[in-house]
Amino acid sequence: MDRSPTKFLGSLPSAFAAACRHSHSDNELFERCRAELVQRFSSERIWLTVTSAGGAVSRAGTSDPPADAEEVARLSSGETEVTILADRSVAGEMRSLALPVALGLSVVAELRSVLQERQAALDDATFQLRALRQVTRLLASVRSAEETEYLILDFMSEVFFARWACLYRVQGDAYIPIVYRSVDDTGRPAPIPRGPLETALPVGAEVVAPQEASLAALVDPLTELIIPLDSGPDRVAILTLGPRIHGKPYGPPQYELAGTLGYASAIALKNAEMVEQLQGEATTDPLTGVSNRRSVEERLEAEISRAVRHRLHTTTILIDIDRFKLVNDTMGHAAGDRLLRLIAEVVRRQCRTLDVVGRLGGDEFLVILPMTSARESLAFVTRVQREVADLERQYPEFGKATLSFGIADSPTNGGASRGVLAAADTALYRAKRGGRNAVEIAHPTDGLEE
């Protein structure tokens, strides 16, 4: 066989390049390169040792080289060092060609390392773009603040493969853990004092690891990343992340991505809070804090429709404050507003979670009691009367406040909200005409549509 350098080395670079293209790992690359040498020197007793950046060592050969194997070449390129060992029977023949072979191998290994770094950077950039696209969808959607909190926590913990994550919101003098997620059900982190945290991590601060003693003393000992969710001059929340599931540390790319996602998350939370505020203003009576007329009438229609479908009773109660005009005329409208707020609070306190209270206007309130008959609603009325009677002791300036009640229910008074409301209004009129401070239940014929 012709072993001349020109003949031997002519096609070797191409062979090494092909090995680089087709290999999925460093070990596979070096095994392919060794196979080329084995074929050209007709000997299996050739070994490669490659030391890469960081001290990683890869070996190629059918077994570990024996003690008497000879080193035929050692060459470094960048952070890669290649050593070629061979059996004595072939070492002499290889030595004259080993140096250019080692050079080719080290260059291929270095190029592969560069390609891997660039591929990793590309993968990381692609991953960040996908994360940002998901955040854009989050920002574009309209959800409640509570739902947005859960979405942010789930999204951030998955993006960074965090073993656990916790979202804190400000309540008084502390940051309270509102939402928590953990892959191994570890305990929920404790609240964080607001003052010390905002001193150590002021609004506008970057994403940090709790390495400083002032921060480390405030958060869970296993916290590895603190992400402020700041929007302009406002701190919306704080997000903390625990160790990553795969054990890799948080590096500069993760810090940069966390900062971008944290800002986007803060905007999403502020948007959700603004939407809730606007919805509340659209459905709430500004004076008393109960539902406004439009909202409570829509709810009445929905509840009666549900009662008809499921053959349930739903009771509607109209409440009127007796001699309210006298309070306005003698004490002024500010006092009248105050009494309205007190009565609204009494009625709301006596309601169950599923009940609804609304102000129809003036001094008239509407209460909806789902899954309750007219007779069963009298227990609610008695509780309200008892607490209203106690107002005279707490607020003597109003004198003895009393209420009149008109009660109707579906299906007794029909299956349409307009008819049930008309029946309750008829009953209320009888209570007022009968001397006030009275309770009247609508007759079956009251309010029925002809």
Side-chain angles (χ1 to χ4, degrees):
M1 182 180 293
D2 186 356
R3 303 291 194 188
S4 64
T6 302
K7 183 74 173 177
F8 178 79
L9 295 174
S11 61
L12 196 60
S14 297
F16 284 173
C20 187
R21 285 196 305 272
H22 296 108
S23 298
H24 296 91
S25 66
D26 289 344
N27 286 338
E28 183 182 356
L29 168 64
F30 301 136
E31 285 291 352
R32 285 179 178 271
C33 291
R34 176 187 169 277
E36 289 293 330
L37 297 177
V38 166
Q39 180 181 359
R40 292 166 192 262
F41 285 100
S42 304
S43 174
E44 286 285 343
R45 298 180 64 76
I46 299 173
W47 299 271
L48 302 181
T49 300
V50 182
T51 305
S52 303
V57 178
S58 300
R59 290 187 173 86
T62 54
S63 61
D64 290 335
D68 59 350
E70 295 185 13
E71 181 180 304
V72 297
R74 180 186 295 268
L75 190 67
S76 297
S77 176
E79 297 184 9
T80 303
E81 181 182 76
V82 176
T83 303
I84 302 178
L85 303 174
D87 185 75
R88 290 180 178 180
S89 61
V90 73
E93 185 180 4
M94 288 187 65
R95 192 166 279 112
S96 61
L97 301 172
L99 194 59
V101 169
L103 178 60
L105 283 172
S106 63
V107 169
V108 166
E110 190 72 17
L111 286 176
R112 178 173 174 78
S113 176
V114 171
L115 288 174
Q116 287 177 325
E117 288 179 3
R118 291 185 178 179
Q119 184 62 49
L122 180 61
D123 291 343
D124 187 61
T126 302
F127 181 77
Q128 292 192 26
L129 285 173
R130 288 175 180 169
L132 290 172
R133 186 165 60 244
Q134 291 183 22
V135 167
T136 301
R137 291 173 182 164
L138 176 66
L139 289 170
S141 60
V142 178
R143 296 181 173 91
S144 67
E146 181 180 5
E147 186 180 2
T148 303
E149 289 169 350
Y150 278 96
L151 285 171
I152 289 172
L153 189 80
D154 290 342
F155 173 72
M156 296 289 270
S157 58
E158 289 171 7
V159 164
F160 296 105
F161 304 101
R163 186 167 293 279
W164 61 262
C166 186
L167 185 73
Y168 296 80
R169 302 297 299 272
V170 172
Q171 289 185 11
D173 295 330
Y175 282 86
I176 305 298
I178 299 296
V179 190
Y180 177 70
R181 168 178 168 173
S182 172
V183 297
D184 49 11
D185 296 323
T186 54
R188 181 183 292 267
I192 303 173
R194 181 177 180 179
L197 178 63
E198 293 182 352
T199 299
L201 194 69
V203 175
E206 302 291 334
V207 175
V208 296
Q211 295 173 342
E212 296 183 10
S214 57
L215 272 177
L218 298 173
V219 298
D220 185 276
L222 297 179
T223 301
E224 292 197 3
L225 208 63
I226 303 176
I227 306 171
L229 271 57
D230 297 341
S231 176
D234 301 323
R235 170 148 297 164
V236 183
I238 287 285
L239 180 70
T240 59
L241 300 180
R244 307 180 78 188
I245 294 174
H246 48 48
K248 295 181 180 178
Y250 294 95
Q254 286 75 43
Y255 278 65
E256 184 175 350
L257 179 60
T260 302
L261 298 182
Y263 177 68
S265 298
I267 294 176
L269 268 176
K270 288 204 73 172
N271 286 346
E273 290 171 349
M274 288 176 62
V275 168
E276 285 190 346
Q277 181 181 352
L278 291 173
Q279 289 175 339
E281 292 174 353
T283 60
T284 302
D285 175 58
L287 176 62
T288 61
V290 299
S291 298
N292 60 20
R293 180 174 192 133
R294 176 182 175 183
S295 175
V296 74
E297 287 184 343
E298 288 177 352
R299 182 65 180 273
L300 176 63
E301 186 173 351
E303 288 296 339
I304 290 180
S305 176
R306 186 167 70 94
V308 170
R309 286 198 311 273
H310 300 288
R311 298 181 180 180
L312 301 170
H313 280 274
T314 291
T315 290
T316 301
I317 304 176
L318 285 177
I319 303 175
D320 189 86
I321 303 175
D322 297 328
R323 299 181 176 85
F324 180 72
K325 185 176 183 300
L326 184 60
V327 174
N328 276 336
D329 291 344
T330 58
M331 302 178 64
H333 288 281
D337 289 348
R338 187 180 178 205
L339 180 59
L340 280 171
R341 285 192 291 268
L342 289 171
I343 297 297
E345 185 57 35
V346 166
V347 174
R348 183 162 47 190
R349 247 194 320 267
Q350 296 304 329
C351 286
R352 302 165 299 179
T353 304
L354 70 163
D355 300 336
V356 184
V357 184
R359 183 186 175 203
L360 296 183
D363 60 336
E364 194 171 50
F365 295 89
L366 170 62
V367 178
I368 306 169
L369 305 179
M371 295 183 288
T372 305
S373 68
R375 289 292 172 188
E376 291 169 338
S377 72
L378 292 176
F380 164 80
V381 170
T382 299
R383 294 196 305 270
V384 172
Q385 287 177 317
R386 186 183 301 122
E387 190 169 350
V388 168
D390 193 49
L391 289 178
E392 185 178 9
R393 179 179 58 83
Q394 302 177 61
Y395 305 97
E397 65 271 23
F398 294 116
K400 183 180 180 180
T402 61
L403 306 176
S404 294
F405 298 82
I407 304 173
D409 84 8
S410 176
T412 304
N413 298 106
S417 61
R418 184 173 61 180
V420 174
L421 197 56
D425 190 57
T426 300
L428 177 63
Y429 179 73
R430 283 199 297 268
K432 300 288 283 187
R433 190 176 56 187
R436 300 181 177 86
N437 192 23
V439 182
E440 288 286 339
I441 297 178
H443 301 149
T445 56
D446 289 342
L448 288 178
E449 296 179 358
E450 297 181 0

